[in-house]
Amino acid sequence: MIALPVLVLVVALVFGVPIAVALAGSGMLGIYLVTGDVGKVMGILSLAPFSTVADYALTTIPMFILMAFFSASSGLARDLYAAASNWCSHIRGGLAIATVFACGIFGAMSGASTAAASVMAKIAMPEMRRHGYSDELAAGAIGIGATLDILIPPSIAMVIYGIATQTSIGKLLIAGVVPGVIAGILLAAMVYLWVVVSPKHAPSTYHVAAKERLASLVRVWPSLLLILLVLVLLYTGIATPTEVGALGALLAGVIGAVFGRLTWQEAIDAVMSTIRTSAMIFLILLGATIFGYYMALSRIPQEVVTSITAMELNRWVVIIGIVVAYFVISMFMDEIPLLLLTLQLTFPLITSLGFDPIWFGVLSMMMVAMGLVFPPVGLIAFIVSATAGVDLMKVYKGTSILMLSLVATTVLLMLFPQIALWLPATMR
Amino acid sequence: MTVLRSLEKWLWRCELVLVYAGVVATIAMMCLTSADALSRYLLNRPITGAYEITEKYLMVAAIFLGLSYAYRGGVFIRVTFLVDRLPSMLKLAANYVAYLISLLFCLITLVATTQQALRALRDDTTLSALPLLVGPAYALVPLGFFALTLIMLVDFTRIRSSRSYLFREEAPPA
């Protein structure tokens, strides 16, 4: 009886009830079943919306989102791609490699991979097509390249993980840097390997004059300034992640305005889009909070931990099981609801088995990143397909091949946790 | 039908007022947080009450006042893997059920948060750093849910034609 709300939640999700409503509704049912008191349900519901939103730490979310929208509207991604392609165009598959690097660098200015996917699909896809790149390679490079954003700070998914698990957001964000860079390098290597094995996917290379290359590099200084500000402030701890988000958004807006790329109307549109996206996240957060009350009252997480501990399984068997489960669920669900839904169960289990919460945060991001480009759902694959006008199956083909780089990074991360833990350990 | 259209027009105007209030709150949040950080680190003088105003007022206004506007853009994300593969009649039935459950949730939340707002408005509690009442901040929550519930009610007529905002695919988040 006590687990009935979990069943209700699954059925509601499968039949298309909005995730936030399904979480809140099954949570309310669960609270009623545990306490037998409608007054308690209403009491929690009356306070939960305000208390979920009125939290200073959560201000980080709209601020990072605003920074992403300002960066996207200011054309910073176009400059980055132009510079990267000028420097890589002489290499076989260079434009796809440039896309990967541009995605990674844009990730340091934008909080979520979906922004990079839609922006890069608009910018990089026509260039790659013009030079005869196959749709599979081009769309695969954009799709997988965009997933790097989930690792590289500022990552909204990381912030959500930090809030849901009470883990240091600053350390989490910094922990994603090295795995993000490794994934980017492996991805570039994978693109190169692909075109060496099958040259028809990237037939042409071209040289750009040194003067033009340098000129394109000069144009990216505002982006580099923004990235430097974010990373330095986060790493040194001079400012809190919330303040970094606000300062980053302000600087992105100022850069756009000073260079005449962000009009007043575009800025207002960016803020309105921020409100819409933030509202979506906070509604799910509200649902997860109510469901969390039920979880706490029913003690289900503790029961799960006790049961799995009693099985005396090797802890690596458990983590591999969780990794596979995350990968499977992430094929059907976006990253934020996935994290908010699963962490209430997996996080107590992970910490009870002695795994580092920051390491698990990065690992779960890797799983989510793969799910975002893998069939049958794969939100980023949809975005690339829709924005670039590429057949979805071609996108999946490209992302499935290049995803090997993410698999390799995940294996490295599991074998050498210090990849994620070294940099945060050096923070003050 | 004309009444419905007039109501929708009026609702849209109200929504714009609310969302522009949300825009102001978001910009104020960005500026205040940045100014507070710069003032604290450069001048060693934090702005009094910045933390609480951001948390209790600006954040709540930015999120809840934009709810109805966000609804039009597809604020409720769903898992549609199975529903998309259902025969059209079953899909329509599933959509009606999802709509009714969502509407019920909004109504119950509206009632619960209104009760809480009325309690808070009767209370004299102020922010700890400034003599500003906290009660009005609580009232922003039911205000947002009220606008959301109204637009959801109007949206009922669009479910049959699959044009409901509730089932609109969300534009990619940032």
Side-chain angles (χ1 to χ4, degrees):
Chain A
M1 194 67 171
I2 216 101
L4 179 68
V6 178
L7 186 70
V8 170
L9 172 66
V10 173
V11 172
L13 287 177
V14 167
F15 281 95
V17 175
I19 294 168
V21 176
L23 275 165
S26 52
M28 284 156 67
L29 173 69
I31 296 164
Y32 174 71
L33 289 177
V34 175
T35 62
D37 184 357
V38 179
K40 268 215 171 90
V41 179
M42 289 301 277
I44 287 172
L45 195 60
S46 67
L47 283 169
F50 185 83
S51 60
T52 303
V53 172
D55 181 341
Y56 190 73
L58 293 179
T59 316
T60 317
I61 296 172
M63 290 298 102
F64 277 164
I65 294 172
L66 185 57
M67 182 177 161
F69 276 119
F70 277 163
S71 299
S73 304
S74 301
L76 299 180
R78 190 173 292 279
D79 289 345
L80 283 172
Y81 181 72
S85 59
N86 281 352
W87 284 85
C88 296
S89 59
H90 61 288
I91 306 168
R92 190 175 279 277
L95 291 184
I97 293 171
T99 303
V100 170
F101 289 144
C103 279
I105 300 170
F106 183 68
M109 298 183 288
S110 138
S113 35
T114 42
S118 74
V119 170
M120 282 299 163
K122 278 183 208 146
I123 297 168
M125 196 70 196
E127 271 305 290
M128 284 194 271
R129 273 191 176 143
R130 201 157 61 85
H131 288 93
Y133 281 53
S134 72
D135 279 356
E136 288 91 337
L137 175 64
I142 294 167
I144 300 278
T147 64
L148 297 178
D149 291 24
I150 210 168
L151 287 167
I152 295 168
S155 156
I156 290 159
M158 284 274 203
V159 174
I160 300 274
Y161 176 92
I163 288 160
T165 62
Q166 301 288 305
T167 308
S168 161
I169 294 172
K171 286 192 174 182
L172 267 171
L173 291 169
I174 289 297
V177 173
V178 178
V181 171
I182 291 175
I185 292 169
L186 288 178
L187 178 52
M190 191 70 209
V191 168
Y192 187 73
L193 198 66
W194 188 0
V195 295
V196 165
V197 172
S198 183
K200 65 174 182 177
H201 287 285
S204 69
T205 59
Y206 61 95
H207 277 271
V208 175
K211 197 177 163 190
E212 200 179 323
R213 280 191 202 186
L214 287 171
S216 66
L217 211 55
V218 171
R219 279 196 295 272
V220 298
W221 76 262
S223 308
L224 297 180
L225 179 70
L226 187 57
I227 293 164
L228 201 68
L229 175 93
V230 169
L231 290 179
V232 168
L233 290 181
L234 277 175
Y235 180 74
T236 56
I238 288 174
T240 64
T242 304
E243 291 166 348
V244 174
L247 287 165
L250 188 66
L251 186 60
V254 168
I255 288 170
V258 167
F259 287 88
R261 293 161 168 186
L262 188 67
T263 61
W264 178 248
Q265 191 51 49
E266 282 168 341
I268 296 295
D269 287 346
V271 181
M272 283 167 110
S273 301
T274 299
I275 289 174
R276 196 183 60 194
T277 307
S278 304
M280 181 199 81
I281 293 173
F282 277 93
L283 275 177
I284 298 170
L285 203 57
L286 169 63
T289 304
I290 295 169
F291 195 75
Y293 276 109
Y294 152 65
M295 285 296 219
L297 288 168
S298 64
R299 299 181 56 80
I300 285 179
Q302 289 90 330
E303 296 291 332
V304 170
V305 171
T306 310
S307 310
I308 291 178
T309 313
M311 285 183 205
E312 294 183 348
L313 294 169
N314 183 303
R315 65 182 196 141
W316 287 99
V317 173
V318 178
I319 195 99
I320 288 168
I322 291 175
V323 162
V324 172
Y326 264 68
F327 179 59
V328 173
I329 303 171
S330 65
M331 289 181 211
F332 302 94
M333 202 179 269
D334 298 348
E335 73 256 41
I336 290 158
L338 166 76
L339 289 171
L340 290 170
L341 193 67
T342 55
L343 284 172
Q344 301 189 25
L345 270 182
T346 55
F347 189 73
L349 187 59
I350 287 297
T351 45
S352 74
L353 291 170
F355 288 106
D356 191 288
I358 291 178
W359 173 79
F360 181 64
V362 179
L363 190 72
S364 50
M365 293 305 137
M366 295 297 306
M367 295 303 104
V368 168
M370 285 189 235
L372 284 172
V373 287
F374 203 72
V377 177
L379 181 67
I380 288 195
F382 284 167
I383 292 169
V384 174
S385 169
T387 315
V390 181
D391 179 62
L392 190 59
M393 290 318 289
K394 285 185 176 175
V395 180
Y396 280 139
K397 190 181 170 193
T399 55
S400 301
I401 292 170
L402 296 178
M403 203 172 73
L404 289 175
S405 59
L406 295 184
V407 175
T409 312
T410 307
V411 172
L412 284 174
L413 193 62
M414 290 178 87
L415 292 175
F416 309 105
Q418 285 306 314
I419 289 173
L421 298 177
W422 164 72
L423 205 52
T426 62
M427 287 168 75
R428 278 189 292 170
Chain B
M1 215 53 188
T2 321
V3 177
L4 201 68
R5 217 168 285 148
S6 311
L7 180 68
E8 213 171 334
K9 234 181 221 173
W10 178 80
L11 257 177
W12 173 239
R13 284 191 199 121
C14 293
E15 267 173 60
L16 277 183
V17 172
L18 290 178
V19 77
Y20 276 111
V23 167
V24 171
T26 308
I27 294 172
M29 193 154 62
M30 175 184 76
C31 295
L32 190 60
T33 308
S34 301
D36 184 40
L38 291 172
S39 181
R40 186 165 64 246
Y41 294 113
L42 299 179
L43 310 171
N44 204 20
R45 281 179 59 185
I47 297 171
T48 311
Y51 183 101
E52 279 186 298
I53 288 174
T54 302
E55 181 182 79
K56 298 273 191 309
Y57 269 92
L58 300 178
M59 194 54 184
V60 177
I63 301 299
F64 289 109
L65 296 186
L67 268 186
S68 55
Y69 170 80
Y71 180 79
R72 286 184 191 265
V75 74
F76 284 117
I77 53 170
R78 310 186 303 148
V79 178
T80 55
F81 180 67
L82 179 77
V83 176
D84 284 347
R85 283 159 180 76
L86 288 174
S88 57
M89 282 308 285
L90 276 177
K91 185 178 174 179
L92 186 65
N95 282 349
Y96 270 115
V97 172
Y99 169 84
L100 288 173
I101 293 174
S102 305
L103 182 65
L104 187 67
F105 166 71
C106 286
L107 277 169
I108 297 174
T109 311
L110 175 62
V111 171
T113 53
T114 304
Q115 287 171 344
Q116 176 58 31
L118 291 173
R119 277 194 293 271
L121 284 169
R122 283 195 294 268
D123 195 10
D124 290 338
T125 308
T126 59
L127 300 180
S128 58
L130 288 172
L132 190 65
L133 288 170
V134 180
Y138 278 89
L140 296 171
V141 184
L143 187 60
F145 271 103
F146 179 65
L148 177 63
T149 309
L150 277 185
I151 188 176
M152 279 190 81
L153 282 169
V154 173
D155 201 30
F156 179 77
T157 54
R158 291 199 194 86
I159 296 177
R160 200 171 175 82
S161 57
S162 301
R163 288 188 299 116
S164 165
Y165 298 123
L166 185 65
F167 308 121
R168 174 175 284 188
E169 289 298 320
E170 215 276 324

